[in-house]
Amino acid sequence: MSRQADVPRDGDVVRAEAGVRPRGAGDVLVLRALGLGDAVAGVAALRGVRRAFPRRRLVLAAPAGVGAWLRDLGVVDEVLPASGLDQPLEYRGTGHVGVNLHGRGPQSHRLLAATQPDQLVAFGCTEIGHAGPEWRPDEHEVDRWCRLVRSAGGDCSPEDLRIPVSERVEPGPMGPSALHAPVAGRGADSPPAPVVVHPGAASISRRWPEAGWNAVARTLAAAGHSVVVTGSGDEVPLCERIAAAAGHRVRSVAGTLDLDGLAGTVRHARLLVCGDTGVAHLATAFSTPSVLLFGPTPPALWGPAIDPHLHTVLWRGTGPGDPHADMVDPALAAIEVEEVVRAAEQLLAATPTPEDQRQPARCR
């Protein structure tokens, strides 16, 4: 999930049908050139854009990988590869609507304005003379972009974050059995769904200490849970150390999963334990129970926007810290192993396993 200075109903996805646009109508070009967490947090607003302009092709300017994933889910129609705001958008369409879901401007506004849209949907920005809704710095990320899109006639709310099970979410290149993932058609002897532990984050300030992750993974494994540690290619050494220190019921799949595989792993997990990072938003979208360790950014700004009963948020801060600091944030460091384990145990106890669901009800 990004923290850039230029900040940025159960999903009823509708793909634009071929030929549905009237002659002369342009695309809707949406800018959100950010990472995984930002992309998933923006799904509700993207669905609102679809409703505001149902007869136009929805083109998303975003990193190629996450953009393609959203395209394959039907959230958008096409992807214009873009990462950050340093390069001009290679868009050659005309008669289009530009929608800025990236930030408050002026840089992101100018990037979209350079494509010469007929209409610009964006927050008000005096630097470029654009009149739009007021930017509110204390607003939750999901609410912020939904409010902007509603101002353009696109009905949407946090409920639109959901990605239904019916939409394509692959279990990944290792296959569901390798991840102990319960999927349709598996038998009663299938291994249990795993607890997924994701220790990494893009910035050092959002990385809970490794010793804490070691203890959490080891304790959950000792309680009989299958634990899978996930991470990016850069996080392979960290994840392998955690798995090795935690025991034989803990395995690292860091560096082996593409985005489809990571999404499928979170989708089929019994529980996710992670910091304030992209996979947390996948848990929200898939209604996967999660324990989330927050700091330095308050959960009031970036925490789960729906299903509070499924997500336990641990936060020891009093206000926003520095998301780009080169040391772990004090609010995050103040979270103790015991409270993480306790929160995990409570959610696991409240979540029936597939085996529990197969047992007949007992008379009381």
Side-chain angles (χ1 to χ4, degrees), residues 22-23 25 31 36 50 67 76 81 89 101 148 160 167 182-183 188 225 227 231 250 261 311 336 344 357:
R23 180 176 298 177
L31 175 64
L36 174 62
R50 175 79 79 191
V76 302
L89 298 176
L101 298 185
L148 174 66
D160 289 304
E167 295 180 29
V183 292
H225 301 289
V227 178
V250 182
H311 310 290
E336 299 181 353
Q357 293 173 330

Side-chain angles (χ1 to χ4, degrees), residues 22 42 48 58 73 100 148 172 215 265 287 324:
L58 202 167
L73 288 174
N100 187 354
L148 174 66
T265 301
S287 299
H324 305 292

Side-chain angles (χ1 to χ4, degrees), residues 7 13 92 95 119 159 176 205 228 266 299 303 310 344:
V7 196
V13 175
R92 298 292 180 264
Q119 176 185 352
E159 287 294 317
S205 63
V228 170
V266 174
L310 292 179

